[in-house]
Amino acid sequence: MNFPFDILMVPLQIIIFLFTVYFFFIGFFGLWRFKEEKITTPEKKMAVIVAAHNEQAVIGQLVENLQQLDYPRELYDIYVIADNCSDNTAKVAGEAGAIVCERTHPTKKSKGYALEWMFEKLFAMDKKYDAVCIFDADNLVHPNFLMEMNHHLCKGAKIIQGYLDAKNPYDTWVAGTFAIAFWVIDHISHLAKTNLGLSAVLGGTGMCITTEVLQRHGWRATCLVEDMEFTMKSLAEGIKTTWAHDAIVYDEKPLTFMQSWNQRKRWAQGQFDVAHRFIPVMLREGIRRRDIRILDGCIYLLQPHFLLISTFFIVASYCQLWFGQFYTSIYTFMPSELMTAIMLGQYILPMIILLKIRAKLKAWFYLLLYPVFIYSWIPIVFIGFFKRNDHEWSHTKHTRSISYDQLMKAKK
């Protein structure tokens, strides 16, 4: 140790380096897919559930889309939860052909509570389902979605996440950069971890969960990020989330920067909350079970903490430039080629993904603004950390009314 601050700064740099190498290593395995033989015989009976709060502008198109999936109609039913609605969501959904369940509660207004309520109603019915599929009201769904879920269910998967695509990737630069972020995560996180035998993470929509898991372990996920809470709760019990790359759901991305800011702030708050509650349990279970998937889940939850640490180190680096050296940089004796490769990889990987999905030219223009989206996470994460105990739900208004056929024409 050459400086007093080395006792803090050297371990900090080692943590940053190890985290960066780990994420870069994982991401590399998302650049390809393994071939698999598909099960094409429809077998599983499913309840398709849509949680909707004041979604009259978009719910009709989704219900119509869901009725046209390439799956036997007698093997799935469509339920819409009209949750604390003050508009015509229930009427529009019913006219489109959904089974509407209206729910009102003065305080428990989040999506997690609505789903918990709906699951209890399902379990009390005489009609039984093998699994539930969950969508947001603004979504559109690929015709093969249920067939893909059937394939994974028949192979023994218990919790499944579909591919999260964008419904409106070219509406604004905010929607475009948001879409790029999801495309990148779909590949360098979910697909990569699937190729390595690790667990994916539920994304809030395009999810499929067996009723056996829900009845045996319960939902009990009602925080700001109920999807992540359920993922980690299940993972701690040894149940991984399977990634279904060909089960595509198209999600409406925020149009304005403030919509994006508020949505991501809620995610950051929720992830800090889930991390602080579940990491101790998951560490204990991961070590006890000797299950690397659970330990990887802990690392996933620590990503906002990693961003906080990295930001602190960057500020300290600038202070060292301005006021003189006060700590030893481990990067002075790290292989320069390794650090260069990691730095370039952060920009090259999104370009590779855009090439893989054959994105339009407009997406490449939005890629120039992608760093704005990425670096805006820094203040969001800090605010999320300080407001991690604030559980007030913020609803994102959806207005992009478009049919599935119109979406497919726009993508060509």
Side-chain angles (χ1 to χ4, degrees):
M1 298 286 181
N2 298 322
F3 302 94
F5 278 101
D6 282 352
I7 195 169
L8 170 65
M9 297 302 295
V10 170
L12 199 68
Q13 293 172 85
I14 293 172
I15 290 171
I16 293 172
F17 175 75
L18 291 177
F19 259 80
T20 305
V21 171
Y22 184 80
F23 289 129
F24 185 75
F25 173 81
I26 294 287
F28 176 76
F29 286 87
L31 300 182
W32 68 86
R33 290 183 62 193
F34 294 117
K35 290 184 179 180
E36 58 177 339
E37 188 174 337
K38 300 281 188 177
I39 296 172
T40 57
T41 303
E43 178 183 328
K44 302 298 182 180
K45 186 174 289 186
M46 303 185 219
V48 176
I49 299 174
V50 182
H53 171 67
N54 290 343
E55 299 283 11
Q56 65 178 19
V58 294
I59 191 64
Q61 285 77 12
L62 173 60
V63 174
E64 291 170 5
N65 168 218
L66 290 171
Q67 293 193 86
Q68 298 171 7
L69 301 183
D70 292 338
Y71 201 73
R73 195 62 187 82
E74 65 274 13
L75 289 181
Y76 73 100
D77 295 312
I78 304 166
Y79 295 89
V80 170
I81 312 167
D83 187 40
N84 290 282
C85 292
S86 57
D87 66 354
N88 291 321
T89 295
K91 181 175 181 291
V92 173
E95 290 175 350
I99 302 168
V100 179
C101 301
E102 296 190 63
R103 173 185 180 269
T104 303
H105 196 283
T107 57
K108 297 180 178 180
K109 297 182 178 182
S110 72
K111 177 181 172 183
Y113 286 117
L115 291 175
E116 189 171 59
W117 176 84
M118 188 68 223
F119 294 150
E120 290 175 1
K121 290 180 69 70
L122 281 181
F123 300 151
M125 295 178 184
D126 292 332
K127 190 171 188 178
K128 302 302 176 185
Y129 300 95
D130 296 300
V132 300
C133 290
I134 303 164
F135 298 101
D136 287 339
D138 59 290
N139 295 163
L140 291 172
V141 183
H142 192 282
N144 290 338
F145 187 93
L146 291 184
M147 187 63 77
E148 289 295 326
M149 290 303 174
N150 177 79
H151 159 72
H152 288 285
L153 290 168
C154 289
K155 289 183 67 178
K158 302 295 184 184
I159 303 173
I160 313 164
Q161 175 60 53
Y163 185 101
L164 296 171
D165 207 332
K167 178 180 173 183
N168 59 330
Y170 306 112
D171 282 4
T172 67
W173 74 268
V174 175
T177 53
F178 221 102
I180 292 171
F182 270 74
W183 292 331
V184 170
I185 291 169
D186 284 343
H187 288 81
I188 70 169
S189 181
H190 298 304
L191 178 58
K193 290 188 177 186
T194 297
N195 287 340
L196 288 167
L198 301 173
S199 175
V201 176
L202 291 175
T205 187
M207 308 182 291
C208 180
I209 306 168
T210 63
T211 51
E212 181 263 330
V213 165
L214 285 172
Q215 287 180 303
R216 178 155 53 95
H217 299 281
W219 174 247
R220 303 194 314 274
T222 54
C223 76
L224 294 179
V225 285
E226 75 291 329
D227 48 353
M228 188 177 298
E229 183 177 11
F230 188 78
T231 300
M232 299 307 166
K233 179 171 72 73
S234 301
L235 194 54
E237 295 169 355
I239 308 170
K240 79 165 190 172
T241 297
T242 298
W243 176 248
H245 200 78
D246 294 321
I248 306 170
V249 57
Y250 300 91
D251 186 47
E252 183 178 322
K253 305 308 178 191
L255 297 176
T256 68
F257 187 77
M258 283 311 300
Q259 285 180 332
S260 163
W261 177 283
N262 291 332
Q263 189 175 56
R264 288 184 290 155
K265 182 171 69 70
R266 173 170 62 82
W267 291 347
Q269 290 172 243
Q271 187 157 344
F272 278 118
D273 175 34
V274 172
H276 294 172
R277 286 190 291 122
F278 280 89
I279 283 179
V281 177
M282 292 174 66
L283 278 175
R284 185 176 65 248
E285 286 301 305
I287 294 169
R288 186 179 71 83
R289 296 171 183 264
R290 298 180 181 178
D291 192 338
I292 193 172
R293 297 174 304 179
I294 302 177
L295 299 176
D296 173 72
C298 293
I299 295 174
Y300 183 91
L301 286 176
L302 286 170
Q303 286 182 96
H305 301 78
F306 171 66
L307 185 55
L308 292 178
I309 293 170
S310 300
T311 303
F312 173 79
F313 174 70
I314 291 170
V315 171
S317 299
Y318 280 110
C319 288
Q320 183 157 260
L321 287 174
W322 295 330
F323 304 112
Q325 189 171 6
F326 61 91
Y327 69 86
T328 302
S329 172
I330 66 168
Y331 298 99
T332 58
F333 49 84
M334 286 285 182
S336 59
E337 294 81 7
L338 176 61
M339 298 310 300
T340 302
I342 291 173
M343 291 300 296
L344 289 175
Q346 297 178 49
Y347 300 97
I348 293 174
L349 283 176
M351 296 172 67
I352 295 174
I353 302 307
L354 289 186
L355 286 171
K356 279 187 67 177
I357 66 173
R358 299 177 181 176
K360 287 186 175 181
L361 182 61
K362 203 169 186 180
W364 289 90
F365 170 74
Y366 290 147
L367 191 61
L368 298 174
L369 297 169
Y370 189 59
V372 177
F373 175 86
I374 294 299
Y375 288 112
S376 65
W377 269 109
I378 294 174
I380 289 171
V381 165
F382 274 89
I383 294 171
F385 175 76
F386 289 111
K387 293 192 173 185
R388 63 190 181 278
N389 296 320
D390 181 0
H391 297 160
E392 184 177 353
W393 179 269
S394 60
H395 178 252
T396 303
K397 187 177 181 180
H398 300 116
T399 59
R400 191 65 155 92
S401 180
I402 182 174
S403 70
Y404 184 80
D405 289 340
Q406 290 172 323
L407 174 65
M408 290 299 100
K409 287 178 182 177
K411 287 178 70 68
K412 291 180 180 178

